[in-house]
């Protein structure tokens, strides 16, 4: 009798572990995905080698941090600035969305450093970044290095930018992204 009870408990435990494992595996395939930040495009808010978790197939909202499929190869981590149908304007680092001036507090640190020394002390170990910043007329520039520009986001598309605007490769160079190209948005940071 004790052997049967022990065997029944063991089978129950194996089934429980199997169901939990399958649930975790299926959720990993369809719901969430771990990523590791690469490069400097999202500094100072996200840094290289930082571990993040994205949630797939979720509503994308303005200023969400998303992972997008980069045409050609790889994925990129960026911030959603423009939603489908938006008109986005930058004038010397002032963002206007659909006629309304909008604050970008997540850029404050680097914008202040840009105003102070054009990020020279921030990028002290990278002469390439220093040279880009020295030549820049503003922290957010168009693909052709203009401090004033306007973008009309097509229907069904999203305009995404890196937080480290001077070194980020994003919608300014790559164009807008469809919802299908946005893999998911950041929900958790690993400690």
């Amino acid at each position: 009798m004790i052997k049967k009870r022990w065997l029944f408990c063991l089978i129950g435990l194996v089934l429980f572990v199997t169901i939990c494992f399958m649930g975790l595996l299926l959720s990993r395939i369809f719901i969430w995905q771990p990523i590791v930040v690469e490069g400097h495009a999202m500094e100072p808010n996200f840094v290289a080698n930082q571990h993040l978790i994205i949630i797939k197939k979720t509503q994308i909202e303005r200023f969400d941090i998303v992972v997008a499929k980069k045409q050609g190869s790889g994925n990129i981590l960026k911030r959603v600035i423009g939603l489908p149908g938006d008109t986005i304007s930058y004038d010397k680092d002032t963002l206007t969305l659909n006629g309304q001036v909008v604050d970008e507090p997540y850029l404050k640190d680097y914008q202040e450093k840009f105003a102070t020394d054009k990020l020279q002390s921030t990028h002290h170990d990278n002469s390439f970044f220093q040279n880009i910043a020295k030549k820049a007329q503003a922290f957010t520039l168009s693909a052709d290095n203009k401090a004033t520009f306007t973008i009309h986001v097509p229907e069904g598309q999203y305009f995404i930018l890196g937080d480290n605007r001077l070194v980020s490769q994003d919608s300014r160079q790559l164009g807008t992204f469809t919802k299908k190209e946005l893999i998911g948005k950041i929900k958790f940071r690993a400690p």
Side-chain angles (χ1 to χ4, degrees):
M1 185 76 162
I2 293 176
K3 271 187 167 183
K4 282 185 180 182
R5 186 177 280 172
W6 187 85
L7 184 60
F8 182 72
C9 287
L10 183 61
I11 291 170
L13 180 62
V14 169
L15 282 174
F16 176 76
V17 170
T18 302
I19 290 169
C20 288
F21 177 76
M22 291 304 294
L24 183 62
L25 180 63
L26 289 173
S27 72
R28 166 59 180 88
I29 292 169
F30 296 108
I31 299 173
W32 61 276
Q33 176 180 334
I35 67 156
V36 177
V37 177
E38 295 178 11
H40 303 279
M42 289 300 290
E43 289 177 352
N45 301 307
F46 297 90
V47 296
N49 300 317
Q50 186 174 18
H51 294 265
L52 308 170
I53 301 289
I54 64 169
I55 301 298
K56 302 176 182 182
K57 302 193 188 314
T58 184
Q59 182 68 31
I60 302 296
E61 298 174 7
R62 188 179 324 282
F63 306 123
D64 282 345
I65 307 299
V66 297
V67 174
K69 291 180 190 173
K70 182 178 173 184
Q71 294 93 358
S73 65
N75 296 327
I76 56 176
L77 180 70
K78 304 295 174 196
R79 187 179 300 273
V80 175
I81 302 298
L83 300 175
D86 279 350
T87 298
I88 300 162
S89 296
Y90 276 96
D91 183 18
K92 298 179 187 105
D93 295 327
T94 299
L95 170 62
T96 303
L97 286 165
N98 303 317
Q100 299 290 321
V101 174
V102 176
D103 189 31
E104 293 184 277
Y106 46 85
L107 298 180
K108 185 178 180 184
D109 183 47
Y110 267 28
Q111 283 178 327
E112 287 174 356
K113 291 176 181 180
F114 180 80
T116 302
D117 73 350
K118 287 206 167 189
L119 295 170
Q120 297 305 295
S121 59
T122 302
H123 295 305
H124 63 87
D125 58 346
N126 191 317
S127 61
F128 178 73
F129 290 173
Q130 283 182 320
N131 288 332
I132 290 171
K134 274 184 198 176
K135 296 175 187 174
Q137 298 303 310
F139 184 66
T140 303
L141 300 170
S142 67
D144 58 354
N145 293 320
K146 302 228 182 316
T148 301
F149 62 97
T150 299
I151 303 286
H152 300 286
V153 183
E155 288 300 327
Q157 303 282 315
Y158 294 81
F159 187 80
I160 59 177
L161 296 176
D163 288 353
N164 191 355
R165 302 283 167 83
L166 293 175
V167 300
S168 177
Q169 187 178 34
D170 46 43
S171 284
R172 294 171 293 176
Q173 299 83 15
L174 303 172
T176 55
F177 289 76
T178 65
K179 171 84 162 128
K180 189 175 182 179
E181 292 171 312
L182 301 181
I183 298 167
K185 67 181 177 181
I186 300 302
K187 278 297 189 183
F188 305 102
R189 296 181 195 222

